[in-house]
Amino acid sequence: MEELSCLYKNPSAPIEARVRDLLSRMTLDQKIGQMTQIERKVVTPEAIRDYAIGSVLNSGGSAPFEKALSSDWADMIDGFQKLALDSELGVPIVYGSDAVHGNNNVYGATVFPHNVGLGATRDAELALKIGTATALEVRASGIHYTFAPCVAVCRDPRWGRCYESYSEDTAIVRKMTSIITGLQGQPPQGHPKGYPFVAGRNNVIACAKHFVGDGGTDKGVNEGNTLLPYDELERIHMEPYLDCISQGVSTVMASYSSWNGRKLHGDRYLLTDILKDKLGFKGFVISDWEGIDRLIQPRDSDYRGCVSLAINAGVDMVMVPFDYKRFVEILKFLVVSGNIPMARIDDAVERILRVKFVAGLFEHPFSDRSLLNTVGCKAHRDLAREAVRKSLVLLKNGKNIEKPLLPLDRNAKRIFVTGSHADDLGYQCGGWTILWNGSSGRITIGTTILEAIKEAVGDNTEVIYEPKPSPETLSQQDISFAIVVVGEEPYAEFTGDNSNLKIPFNGTEVICSVADKIPTLAIIVSGRPLVLEPELLEKTDALVAAWLPGSEGGGIADVIFGDFDFTGKLPVTWFKAVEHLPMHTKENSHDPLYPFGFGLSYTKHASID
């Protein structure tokens, strides 16, 4: 009888009617609880029962325990869900995680190339397939919501999140938003514009981020200031959100950054007047991690003012993530005192509940264990390997174009492989992999570039490997060619801000020392263009930009040994010197080392799109 009397529990009732019915039953405390997202480390029965917390997340590196499998994550999240369902109204939590290149926090999941590599593919269908595969692996772990994709348009590679951007070109970023349809499913014909959509239990709630202009900050400073008139902000940085909204994206995350000095988390004009009213977005706006705390400086000097600014600006769900009791207390005070209108609270909670109903959380709140066999499965690893192949950009092939080094001879007598990144899965995957900042070493399951080379060569080929080239090896006369793999160590967000962009670990010197003695293919593993010194360019025989390829190093061996051709094109302009930055396609693109869209292949000497 209770099910019949509670309209919100009736799965056949219209979603908007269910939202209104549930909202009408909620106390102010319960509404504020729905607006509060807390870190999994602080979840307790009290938090769910007494504070009606509506959402839980894990930060990068916050796992149930080391090397926890998808089934372990599902056990944890189902436990949180049981607490929520046992509460007075039984409103399920929505659990969120940064699954930004596969379900990258979970050991054993498929790790796809980071977005900059996908931008090099220009392949919208591939992005959609990656979204579909990622959704399955995310749902297998019990997670309902991914804070992805990042649809920033990166205008300066000094930015520490450059690799999270598909391109410096708005058109390519717009094209690659097809990953949202992969994550959430394809909305039916006639689906209302701006209304959130999630197709079913094999799909996840997506999040377009970071609204807006995060890739255009002055000098590429993370959380910095984007200095643009509104029409340029709209033309360059906002257009991808139109595509996200047209695909039914369910949530949008506000940016840490500022627009002409106005912090986005407190900008009512952009969050409400533009995103919600003009663009018609009907999902919910979520803050970034402690994003509202940064609104007033010095930090923690006026938290009440921060909460008031953010909620009145249009933030609906707040990623607190730890001190939720203080947040709840202050938000309640601001509502009771009239600083935040009750209508603003109701609007926020309506949006949150709408997404929960759309995602089917009331009907299917628990994990689907039948999906566990999709995690790291062959089909998904094959898809990731395809993405790696298509992302590689060939920058040079032969000191003389009539004598190319590539494709390499897999049956050569002796091959030398060296460099800091040749046999390091963590470096290959980059940031946002197992840990927030990423890490070195065998951090998950996958194939390193060295392992892929060894699998690809002939039975009679000897592969000599040294992390650092020794004089003894370099003096050998019978090495056919060398493969030197160097690049950046993993980083995330502000830890990746870099004003010099030199190849770390003396990468230039390592390449040159080998190329002086042996015909050399240099592979650069990085989240962005790095400084390529004239000496390096002169001495190497071939040069490949591999970006951050993820767990499937086999995709690199597939192409360098000629099983597949190079098809990747630069998604960003490759500068000659940092003093020339910012430089990007169509504007300020004078005299680049390699122009936007450049990419060689085996069948064509050069191609620029």
Side-chain angles (χ1 to χ4, degrees):
M1 293 297 293
E2 184 193 7
E3 297 290 327
L4 295 176
S5 63
C6 293
L7 181 63
Y8 77 88
K9 293 186 177 180
N10 182 354
S12 61
I15 284 177
E16 290 304 301
R18 298 176 77 184
V19 169
R20 288 192 298 270
D21 179 64
L22 179 50
L23 189 69
S24 71
R25 299 170 186 272
M26 287 181 152
T27 65
L28 177 58
D29 288 342
Q30 289 167 333
K31 291 175 182 178
I32 290 173
Q34 287 301 304
M35 297 172 66
T36 308
Q37 186 179 66
I38 66 175
E39 221 282 338
R40 59 153 212 96
K41 293 176 183 175
V42 297
V43 174
T44 62
E46 175 199 23
I48 304 294
R49 182 187 65 240
D50 297 346
Y51 288 85
I53 296 300
S55 186
V56 179
L57 84 156
N58 62 272
S59 61
S62 175
F65 50 85
E66 189 176 355
K67 293 189 177 179
L69 302 175
S70 294
S71 56
D72 301 312
W73 284 79
D75 290 341
M76 176 188 73
I77 296 166
D78 283 352
F80 297 157
Q81 196 67 282
K82 285 173 186 170
L83 293 173
L85 297 179
D86 286 341
S87 64
E88 181 185 359
L89 293 173
V91 181
I93 61 159
V94 59
Y95 189 101
S97 187
D98 284 281
V100 298
H101 62 139
N103 198 16
N104 44 262
N105 290 294
V106 177
Y107 184 83
T110 310
V111 181
F112 293 92
H114 268 298
N115 287 356
V116 66
L118 298 184
T121 74
R122 311 289 203 271
D123 192 333
E125 183 63 27
L126 177 67
L128 189 153
K129 290 177 181 177
I130 289 171
T132 301
T134 299
L136 289 170
E137 298 201 22
V138 168
R139 289 307 296 262
S141 64
I143 297 169
H144 320 109
Y145 177 20
T146 174
F147 307 122
C150 177
V151 294
V153 180
C154 178
R155 307 294 268 186
D156 194 319
R158 290 173 289 189
W159 185 37
R161 305 189 83 146
C162 183
Y163 64 80
E164 296 187 54
S165 168
Y166 293 107
S167 179
E168 68 185 35
D169 181 62
T170 303
I172 290 175
V173 177
R174 295 188 70 175
K175 185 176 184 180
M176 302 306 282
T177 63
S178 58
I179 195 170
I180 288 172
T181 293
L183 292 166
Q184 295 193 158
Q186 177 69 56
Q189 196 74 25
H191 183 76
K193 179 180 178 291
Y195 201 84
F197 178 79
V198 181
R201 298 184 71 187
N202 291 348
N203 297 96
V204 294
I205 297 162
C207 179
K209 66 182 190 183
H210 308 83
F211 193 83
V212 59
D214 51 331
T217 59
D218 186 39
K219 297 180 177 62
V221 173
N222 192 59
E223 302 181 24
N225 192 17
T226 299
L227 302 169
L228 287 176
Y230 176 78
D231 62 335
E232 288 189 42
L233 182 78
E234 185 178 56
R235 175 177 59 83
I236 297 168
H237 298 283
M238 199 176 292
E239 284 200 355
Y241 289 91
L242 304 180
D243 301 273
C244 298
I245 291 169
S246 72
Q247 293 174 74
V249 73
S250 296
T251 74
V252 170
M253 185 181 291
S255 177
Y256 283 133
S257 59
S258 302
W259 173 51
N260 296 331
R262 293 158 47 177
K263 287 188 175 290
L264 264 296
H265 276 75
D267 196 319
R268 179 179 169 83
Y269 173 68
L270 290 175
L271 294 182
T272 296
D273 297 349
I274 298 299
L275 177 62
K276 292 181 176 180
D277 296 342
K278 181 180 177 181
L279 302 185
F281 175 62
K282 299 294 192 295
F284 68 78
V285 173
I286 187 168
S287 83
D288 209 330
W289 177 277
E290 295 181 340
I292 68 169
D293 303 40
R294 295 157 158 79
L295 284 174
I296 296 174
Q297 297 299 325
R299 193 162 168 176
D300 240 9
S301 61
D302 184 9
Y303 188 63
R304 183 182 294 176
C306 291
V307 175
S308 179
L309 275 171
I311 302 303
N312 281 321
V315 173
D316 302 309
M317 181 180 284
V318 176
M319 203 181 281
V320 176
F322 295 111
D323 194 2
Y324 63 89
K325 293 180 182 179
R326 178 175 70 147
F327 169 74
V328 166
E329 178 186 332
I330 286 175
L331 180 51
K332 184 175 182 179
F333 170 82
L334 289 168
V335 176
V336 172
S337 64
N339 291 85
I340 296 176
M342 194 66 207
R344 172 76 271 271
I345 299 298
D346 285 346
D347 172 61
V349 179
E350 279 182 7
R351 290 169 175 274
I352 293 163
L353 295 179
R354 179 179 295 132
V355 171
K356 288 187 175 185
F357 281 118
V358 162
L361 293 183
F362 284 80
E363 286 68 57
H364 302 289
F366 296 113
S367 58
D368 181 354
R369 306 295 169 126
S370 71
L371 297 178
L372 287 170
N373 63 0
T374 68
V375 178
C377 67
K378 185 178 185 301
H380 290 177
R381 292 190 183 278
D382 286 348
L383 178 64
R385 187 167 176 164
E386 175 190 351
V388 174
R389 289 197 297 264
K390 292 181 174 179
S391 71
L392 303 177
V393 178
L394 180 58
L395 299 174
K396 178 182 180 181
N397 191 14
K399 292 177 180 175
N400 180 334
I401 61 172
E402 302 303 323
K403 294 183 179 180
L405 179 68
L406 302 177
L408 301 173
D409 179 5
R410 68 176 72 244
N411 294 309
K413 180 180 178 183
R414 187 167 286 123
I415 299 170
F416 181 41
V417 180
T418 189
S420 53
H421 288 54
D423 193 33
D424 195 309
L425 192 62
Y427 284 177
Q428 198 171 295
C429 292
W432 293 110
T433 313
I434 304 300
L435 302 176
W436 168 67
N437 218 25
S439 186
S440 173
R442 184 66 59 175
I443 60 172
T444 190
I445 297 171
T447 303
T448 69
I449 296 168
L450 174 67
E451 290 168 339
I453 291 168
K454 288 181 174 179
E455 288 177 14
V457 297
D459 293 340
N460 297 319
T461 298
E462 179 186 357
V463 177
I464 303 169
Y465 167 67
E466 294 173 351
K468 296 179 180 178
S470 66
E472 294 76 21
T473 300
L474 292 180
S475 65
Q476 290 188 37
Q477 301 298 311
D478 57 352
I479 296 176
S480 301
F481 54 82
I483 302 171
V484 184
V485 192
V486 298
E488 296 184 291
E489 58 189 327
Y491 52 83
E493 301 185 55
F494 60 89
T495 67
D497 281 3
N498 187 329
S499 59
N500 68 62
L501 295 176
K502 296 195 176 193
I503 303 174
F505 309 111
N506 297 314
T508 297
E509 292 80 358
V510 171
I511 292 171
C512 291
S513 69
V514 177
D516 271 338
K517 305 285 188 180
I518 306 166
T520 296
L521 161 64
I523 299 175
I524 310 296
V525 175
S526 67
R528 52 196 164 189
L530 300 176
V531 174
L532 299 178
E533 303 286 357
E535 181 186 25
L536 182 155
L537 293 167
E538 179 187 338
K539 291 184 175 183
T540 54
D541 295 83
L543 182 62
V544 171
W547 314 112
L548 297 169
S551 60
E552 305 312 304
I556 293 173
D558 288 341
V559 181
I560 64 175
F561 286 106
D563 295 329
F564 294 84
D565 202 350
F566 285 91
T567 58
K569 309 294 178 191
L570 286 181
V572 288
T573 302
W574 204 297
F575 60 92
K576 282 184 180 174
V578 291
E579 293 75 29
H580 299 162
L581 295 173
M583 62 189 310
H584 38 76
T585 178
K586 299 171 188 162
E587 303 166 38
N588 191 34
S589 57
H590 57 276
D591 194 28
L593 183 61
Y594 299 106
F596 167 84
F598 178 86
L600 304 175
S601 72
Y602 295 140
T603 53
K604 299 176 185 174
H605 286 314
S607 174
I608 301 175
D609 65 10

